[in-house]
Amino acid sequence: MLFAMDFGVSAVFSFAVKTAFELGIFDIIAKAGGEHAKLSAQDIASQIGGKNPNAPSMVDRLLRLLASHSFLS
């Protein structure tokens, strides 16, 4: 059972990294100053584009997941 849970968590994390990469989130952060950047989820979502009014919330959740695995600090 533990293996299945670890696999599920790693799969979700992998998809989160892939999604952030495809959306250009890492590029947006790098252009803003890298690890010293002071961007909100709203700032990032506005640079991604699109018309989803929930985008800032979704970006926030994605960034929190990545940060919880020490992928972003």
Side-chain angles (χ1 to χ4, degrees):
M1 181 67 163
L2 184 57
F3 172 74
M5 191 165 69
D6 288 342
F7 179 72
V9 170
S10 68
V12 169
F13 178 72
S14 296
F15 284 122
V17 172
K18 181 178 185 264
T19 299
F21 179 76
E22 289 176 351
L23 290 173
I25 290 175
F26 301 128
D27 292 332
I28 292 168
I29 293 170
K31 286 178 187 173
E35 68 181 72
H36 303 292
K38 303 287 187 202
L39 295 171
S40 68
Q42 174 70 38
D43 296 333
I44 294 171
S46 68
Q47 291 184 46
I48 291 171
K51 301 194 188 278
N52 185 343
N54 297 319
S57 174
M58 297 169 97
V59 168
D60 183 58
R61 285 182 277 174
L62 181 62
L63 294 174
R64 286 177 187 263
L65 175 68
L66 295 173
S68 73
H69 288 275
S70 300
F71 199 80
L72 298 173
S73 53

